[in-house]
Every structure is written in C-alpha cells, then in structure tokens.
Amino acid sequence: MFRRLGEKLWGNIGNMEETHLQEKFSKAPKTEKGSRQLRERMMALNDGIIAIIITIMILEVPVPSGDVASYIRFIKAVAIFLVSFFIVANFWYELSRLYSLVQVATKKMMIVNFIFLAALSMMPIITKWLMNYHNRLAVINYGVIYMILDLLEMVLFYLLIRDFIECSSWMKNHLYKVTRLRMIVLLIVSAILILLSYYFPRVMIYAYLALPIIDFVFPDRITHLLERDSFKEMKEDV
C-alpha cells in the first residue's frame, strides 16, 4: 500500500516537474543560440561538401597509360582540374568571408546556401565533361554554372546587408544600389564570356582561371570595409 502510495506520489511530482519545465521553456525568451549553432553547422556542412567536391574532381583525372598521347590528355585534364579547383576554392573563401561577418544564420540565408551548394555540386560533372570532350557546349555550360554561383553569392551578400547591417537608411540604400549594379555587370560580363566560349572554347576554359585569381588577389572593397568597420560593434554587442 505504502509502495503504491509512494510510486503515485513520486509520479505526480515527476509530472509536476515536467509540466513546470515545459512551461518554463515555452515562456523563455528566444535567444540567438540556436541561430548561432545553425550558422556553425552550415559552415561545417559547406566545408564538408566542398572538400568532397574537390576530391571527386581530382578522381576524375585519367591516369596516363604510358604513351605520349595519353600523357598529353593527362596534362590537359590536370590543367582543367586546377581551373575548377581554384574556382571552388575561391567560392569557399568568399563564403567564409561572408559568414565571418555575422554571428547567426537566417532561414533565407540557409535556403540560398543550399541552392548554392547544389549548383556547386555540378562542378565535378562539368569538369569531367571538359576533360573528356573539349567542345563549346561543355565550356558554355561551365560558364553558366559559374554565373549562377556568382549570382547566388551576391544574393547572400544582399541578405546580409538587409538583415545584419545597422547603418543609416542612405548608406543601406547605397549598398543596395551597388549590389544591384554588380549583379547587372556580372550578367553582362558572364554573357560576353559565354558568347566567346561559343567561338573560342579551348581558350575560354583557361580564361575562367583568371576570374577566381582576380577575386582572390583583389578582394571586394565593400566586403573588406564591412569586415573592418561595420560589423565590429555588432560582434562586440553579441
């Protein structure tokens, strides 16, 4: 009897504690801890997927059989791999710079990031296509994927400006205009490169190597300014 009474009593106390904890957590103010964890997991996911992409691309390089012709194909495949490697590495660098400016990740940023990773995952297929067939269609599709990746990166930058920058309305509008102008310039330049790829496919595949090198050596001045000034106070507050 006492045993049943004790079990019933402890059961009621356990239910009361569970109900109290549920009410406590349901009424607790929302913090940014969950968003910070999502940002860290998203960055870890980016690192893992990009590492897999680079690994798959190097595995697509054919091994020479010993004759001169196969060795020449091997050298060309290595050159194409290096172009793709620098492009993927540069996108990883740009993403890391963008996410280093914020402490949390929004849902829209994660959606755009997933679309970006999906487009970036096409690089091994396009790279293999270029290694096997040096035709204009392969180079054109290479340029299209590169253009999509650049646009998605700018969309992420736009979301970052909209959701995290604390500045005057004039400055924010100025950043919006600059970002839209960069998108327009990117579309025009990408269209020109794709058009040239139709007429000079063998030359343009190596011309794409210059784009990530230029971005890496001459980083975006706006992003550099935000890294230095705009987000310093925000990081200290967080």
Side-chain angles (χ1 to χ4, degrees):
M1 178 177 178
F2 290 103
R3 183 178 179 181
R4 291 184 191 175
L5 183 61
E7 290 176 355
K8 185 176 182 180
L9 179 61
W10 283 111
N12 291 334
I13 293 175
N15 292 334
M16 291 174 62
E17 290 180 350
E18 183 179 357
T19 304
H20 176 70
L21 289 174
Q22 290 177 353
E23 292 178 354
K24 182 178 179 181
F25 281 104
S26 63
K27 294 180 180 180
K30 294 182 179 179
T31 63
E32 295 180 348
K33 184 176 180 181
S35 297
R36 291 185 183 182
Q37 292 177 348
L38 285 176
R39 168 187 168 272
E40 294 173 359
R41 292 182 178 180
M42 184 170 62
M43 294 182 67
L45 178 66
N46 291 347
D47 294 343
I49 291 179
I50 291 176
I52 293 173
I53 290 173
I54 294 176
T55 303
I56 293 175
M57 288 192 304
I58 189 61
L59 292 177
E60 297 297 340
V61 176
V63 178
S65 59
D67 57 338
V68 177
S70 66
Y71 189 74
I72 293 176
R73 288 194 299 269
F74 170 75
I75 295 297
K76 292 181 179 179
V78 170
I80 294 173
F81 162 76
L82 290 176
V83 174
S84 298
F85 174 84
F86 282 111
I87 288 176
V88 173
N90 182 70
F91 278 122
W92 172 85
Y93 172 72
E94 293 295 334
L95 277 183
S96 299
R97 289 182 65 201
L98 286 178
Y99 290 137
S100 67
L101 300 177
V102 297
Q103 296 294 318
V104 298
T106 63
K107 186 176 181 179
K108 291 183 179 179
M109 288 177 62
M110 293 188 66
I111 292 174
V112 176
N113 185 83
F114 289 149
I115 298 174
F116 179 88
L117 291 177
L120 192 64
S121 299
M122 295 293 295
M123 288 300 295
I125 300 176
I126 301 298
T127 302
K128 182 178 180 180
W129 190 0
L130 286 171
M131 290 178 182
N132 296 330
Y133 308 100
H134 300 282
N135 54 33
R136 59 172 57 94
L137 187 59
V139 181
I140 289 174
N141 281 275
Y142 197 89
V144 171
I145 294 296
Y146 191 90
M147 178 184 67
I148 292 174
L149 291 170
D150 261 338
L151 286 174
L152 290 172
E153 183 185 338
M154 288 191 181
V155 171
L156 281 173
F157 184 74
Y158 182 87
L159 293 175
L160 184 144
I161 294 174
R162 189 193 65 181
D163 297 334
F164 294 100
I165 285 191
E166 296 179 0
C167 59
S168 63
S169 58
W170 178 87
M171 184 62 182
K172 184 164 288 191
N173 291 331
H174 176 69
L175 291 174
Y176 285 153
K177 291 179 181 179
V178 171
T179 304
R180 286 193 289 265
L181 180 61
R182 289 178 60 193
M183 288 185 179
I184 295 173
V185 172
L186 171 64
L187 288 173
I188 294 174
V189 173
S190 298
I192 294 174
L193 292 176
I194 292 172
L195 182 63
L196 292 175
S197 298
Y198 181 82
Y199 295 101
F200 311 103
R202 295 180 179 272
V203 176
M204 291 307 300
I205 182 56
Y206 300 108
Y208 278 110
L209 177 61
L211 297 178
I213 293 177
I214 292 174
D215 290 339
F216 188 82
V217 177
F218 303 101
D220 181 22
R221 294 182 61 185
I222 297 177
T223 308
H224 178 70
L225 179 64
L226 293 177
E227 288 176 339
R228 188 184 62 184
D229 298 326
S230 301
F231 286 84
K232 187 180 297 182
E233 296 181 357
M234 188 183 70
K235 287 184 177 181
E236 292 176 354
D237 295 337
V238 174

